[in-house]
Amino acid sequence: MTMTTAEENYLKAIYHLSEGGTKSVSTNDIAAEMKTKPASVSDMLRKLGDKEVIEYRKYYGVNITEEGKKRALQTIRKHRLWEVFLVDKLQFAWDEVHEVAEELEHIQSPLLIQRLDAYLNYPKFDPHGDPIPDEFGDVRARPRVALNEMEIDQTGQIVAVKDSSAAFLRYLDKVGAYIGARIKVLDKVEFDGSLEILVDQKKTLFMSKDVAANILVIQS
Amino acid sequence: MTMTTAEENYLKAIYHLSEGGTKSVSTNDIAAEMKTKPASVSDMLRKLGDKEVIEYRKYYGVNITEEGKKRALQTIRKHRLWEVFLVDKLQFAWDEVHEVAEELEHIQSPLLIQRLDAYLNYPKFDPHGDPIPDEFGDVRARPRVALNEMEIDQTGQIVAVKDSSAAFLRYLDKVGAYIGARIKVLDKVEFDGSLEILVDQKKTLFMSKDVAANILVIQS
DNA sequence: TTATGAATTTAGACATGCCTAAAATAAAGA
DNA sequence: TCTTTATTTTAGGCATGTCTAAATTCATAA
Ligand SMILES: [Mn+2]
Ligand SMILES: [Mn+2]
Ligand SMILES: [Mn+2]
Ligand SMILES: [Mn+2]
């Protein structure tokens, strides 16, 4: 059973909104995520239900099926592998890759993805720190905490961002925060939750609570 | 003015059938090339005519416009650059690349193509020996002759194939003919036009006139 | 010159994917 | 229990791209 580009995009959105298939998802939330109208979503949900990649009960939201989860993870795998290719091989900045990967992820060729994976040396994480599912859909996730939830003197390494918008990524580049940076919380301001951070044992950085909440860290 | 994937595929077919814009092309020939029905072609010709990438006079075939030629060459450029990527970087065989490139050529990102070109070191020819147009659509073609038209004792180098079907390419692999091979015509049989060829000064090869007619050579 | 036939276009239909406007439903409050 | 209202679905329509069947056109052969 083949899926169209539109169907793959919807299914991926449902997978993300359901937090990996653990929650049911509303029509309105899908419409917001896909930047379409709820009426268009209803049309698509019927189709995805017919293909049994979601369980669709009218008026009650949708749940992704095991088959659907497998499909979504394949698309996510392709998206993230292409992002690694664009950054590692073609010198794209991490804020330039998303839209192109959104197209490349729909290319149909198992051989292509297998060879790309090998060529990139079987990467486990994409340029935004998100894990790349293996060919069976298994994900090796790292336990992460949002930077704003860390306490003074705690240390760790930036591994991902929640907000992947170009604006946010460019801001991080500008201030010198990047995936892989080792950080230490030097101070937290009680009044507004803003933080003072030491980056790579040399650079001091101030950031608002809102910014810190979008930076994910593994503690060490 | 953006073009859909279908429009790009039709325009590319028209460019090839018109031999680079020098001939006018019939509806039936386009239908055969695109594996669709003439009725579908008529529909599409009206659209391409409206967009002024072809000149369409009902019942009299089409001619590609300068704008259309430019567009077609951009798609061809992308197709051939991706073929080089697949063969040089991902170890695809030359008979495995066409279908995937047929999809990849429609990815919309000027930056991607520019970077890919640089990454591949600005190749001038694809794995089948066909020239890669530059970003302005200029093609540096090499004067070629079909192998069956060469005379005894003449020498040259295989630079391209006319027939890119997987079956033909696999046959060439099997007998040891490849793009770049240096060849010499040892004998020609008058009766059926078949040839005896010396490849790389060491291997002798017999081939039918039909096979030789699909192998293109620059003479030396 | 006119009939014939091949090539081509048009008519009408269907699938996908999107929209707006209207109708239906479920959940919550009075 | 009976509204009210936000959410969701349906109805109807439009664009793209395909098809079959019917109509049209052009070229050519009698
Ligand atoms: Mn996508
Ligand atoms: Mn990513
Ligand atoms: Mn194509
Ligand atoms: Mn080629």
Side-chain angles (χ1 to χ4, degrees), chain A residues 82-97 119 127, chain B residues 111-112 114-116 118-119:
Chain A
W82 281 115
E83 286 190 343
V84 172
F85 169 72
L86 295 172
V87 168
D88 284 12
K89 304 293 185 182
L90 298 196
Q91 323 298 332
F92 276 60
W94 69 341
D95 61 322
E96 295 173 324
V97 297
Y119 183 58
Chain B
L111 180 63
L112 175 62
Q114 183 204 298
R115 293 287 171 88
L116 185 65
Y119 184 58

Side-chain angles (χ1 to χ4, degrees), chain B residues 1-218:
Chain B
M1 195 240 323
T2 64
M3 293 179 78
T4 65
T5 291
E7 286 170 343
E8 287 184 348
N9 284 333
Y10 270 97
L11 191 60
K12 196 157 59 86
I14 292 166
Y15 177 84
H16 286 311
L17 290 169
S18 70
E19 289 165 37
T22 59
K23 286 183 158 61
S24 79
V25 181
S26 76
T27 300
N28 267 3
D29 286 354
I30 297 168
E33 175 77 13
M34 298 293 296
K35 299 182 204 302
T36 57
K37 303 293 158 174
S40 307
V41 174
S42 286
D43 286 346
M44 182 56 86
L45 293 184
R46 194 186 37 71
K47 291 176 205 157
L48 294 177
D50 289 348
K51 295 198 170 184
E52 298 182 8
V53 291
I54 60 170
E55 206 186 307
Y56 178 39
R57 287 177 52 223
K58 278 195 296 198
Y59 291 104
Y60 287 91
V62 299
N63 289 88
I64 196 163
T65 64
E66 278 306 309
E67 175 63 22
K69 208 187 293 186
K70 222 181 71 190
R71 302 282 188 129
L73 283 163
Q74 281 314 306
T75 306
I76 290 166
R77 168 174 164 78
K78 293 197 276 178
H79 184 106
R80 292 181 180 165
L81 282 173
W82 280 116
E83 286 189 343
V84 172
F85 170 73
L86 294 171
V87 168
D88 284 10
K89 303 294 184 182
L90 299 196
Q91 323 297 330
F92 276 60
W94 69 342
D95 62 323
E96 296 172 324
V97 298
H98 187 78
E99 295 207 354
V100 183
E102 203 53 56
E103 292 187 51
L104 285 164
E105 70 188 357
H106 304 291
I107 303 287
Q108 302 292 351
S109 169
L111 180 63
L112 175 62
I113 294 308
Q114 183 204 298
R115 293 287 171 88
L116 185 65
D117 193 25
Y119 184 58
L120 299 173
N121 222 263
Y122 308 103
K124 295 283 169 289
F125 300 93
D126 84 0
H128 310 106
D130 294 312
I132 299 174
D134 69 20
E135 57 186 315
F136 311 108
D138 288 335
V139 183
R140 188 75 48 239
R142 296 175 286 195
R144 314 143 146 190
V145 60
L147 180 47
N148 67 308
E149 283 162 13
M150 290 175 68
E151 303 302 330
I152 294 177
D153 279 347
Q154 289 187 333
T155 61
Q157 192 173 8
I158 299 179
V159 291
V161 291
K162 265 188 193 162
D163 178 349
S164 286
S165 70
F168 185 63
L169 296 178
R170 268 200 301 275
Y171 165 77
L172 292 185
D173 276 343
K174 197 174 122 199
V175 301
Y178 59 95
I179 301 286
R182 309 211 142 266
I183 55 105
K184 179 177 183 180
V185 178
L186 296 179
D187 197 15
K188 279 180 87 167
V189 179
E190 280 223 21
F191 173 65
D192 64 352
S194 65
L195 296 93
E196 187 181 353
I197 305 292
L198 181 70
V199 180
D200 289 336
Q201 281 133 62
K202 50 180 188 279
K203 196 177 163 189
T204 297
L205 197 62
F206 294 88
M207 62 175 68
S208 71
K209 183 180 176 182
D210 281 358
V211 166
N214 279 295
I215 297 177
L216 298 174
V217 175
I218 32 173

Side-chain angles (χ1 to χ4, degrees), chain A residues 11 15 64-75 135-137:
Chain A
L11 192 60
Y15 177 85
I64 196 164
T65 64
E66 278 307 308
E67 175 63 23
K69 208 186 291 184
K70 220 182 72 189
R71 302 283 187 126
L73 282 163
Q74 282 314 305
T75 307
E135 56 185 316
F136 310 109

Side-chain angles (χ1 to χ4, degrees), chain A residues 5-6 8-10 12 34 75 79 98-106:
Chain A
T5 292
E8 286 185 347
N9 284 333
Y10 270 98
K12 196 157 59 89
M34 298 293 296
T75 307
H79 183 105
H98 187 78
E99 295 208 352
V100 183
E102 202 55 56
E103 292 188 51
L104 286 164
E105 70 188 356
H106 305 291

Side-chain angles (χ1 to χ4, degrees), chain A residues 3-162:
Chain A
M3 294 178 77
T4 65
T5 292
E7 285 169 344
E8 286 185 347
N9 284 333
Y10 270 98
L11 192 60
K12 196 157 59 89
I14 292 166
Y15 177 85
H16 286 310
L17 290 169
S18 70
E19 288 166 37
T22 60
K23 287 182 157 63
S24 81
V25 180
S26 76
T27 299
N28 267 3
D29 286 355
I30 298 168
E33 175 76 14
M34 298 293 296
K35 300 182 203 302
T36 55
K37 303 292 159 175
S40 306
V41 174
S42 287
D43 286 346
M44 183 55 87
L45 293 183
R46 191 185 39 69
K47 290 176 205 158
L48 293 177
D50 289 348
K51 295 198 170 183
E52 297 183 7
V53 292
I54 61 171
E55 207 184 306
Y56 177 39
R57 287 177 51 225
K58 279 194 298 200
Y59 291 105
Y60 287 93
V62 299
N63 289 89
I64 196 164
T65 64
E66 278 307 308
E67 175 63 23
K69 208 186 291 184
K70 220 182 72 189
R71 302 283 187 126
L73 282 163
Q74 282 314 305
T75 307
I76 290 166
R77 168 174 164 77
K78 293 196 277 178
H79 183 105
R80 292 181 181 165
L81 282 173
W82 281 115
E83 286 190 343
V84 172
F85 169 72
L86 295 172
V87 168
D88 284 12
K89 304 293 185 182
L90 298 196
Q91 323 298 332
F92 276 60
W94 69 341
D95 61 322
E96 295 173 324
V97 297
H98 187 78
E99 295 208 352
V100 183
E102 202 55 56
E103 292 188 51
L104 286 164
E105 70 188 356
H106 305 291
I107 304 287
Q108 302 291 350
S109 169
L111 180 63
L112 174 62
I113 294 308
Q114 184 205 297
R115 294 288 171 86
L116 185 66
D117 194 25
Y119 183 58
L120 300 173
N121 222 259
Y122 308 103
K124 295 284 170 288
F125 300 94
D126 84 1
H128 311 107
D130 294 312
I132 298 174
D134 69 20
E135 56 185 316
F136 310 109
D138 289 335
V139 182
R140 189 76 47 240
R142 295 175 286 196
R144 314 140 148 193
V145 60
L147 179 49
N148 66 310
E149 283 160 13
M150 290 176 67
E151 303 300 331
I152 293 176
D153 279 348
Q154 289 186 336
T155 60
Q157 192 173 8
I158 298 179
V159 291
V161 290
K162 265 189 193 162

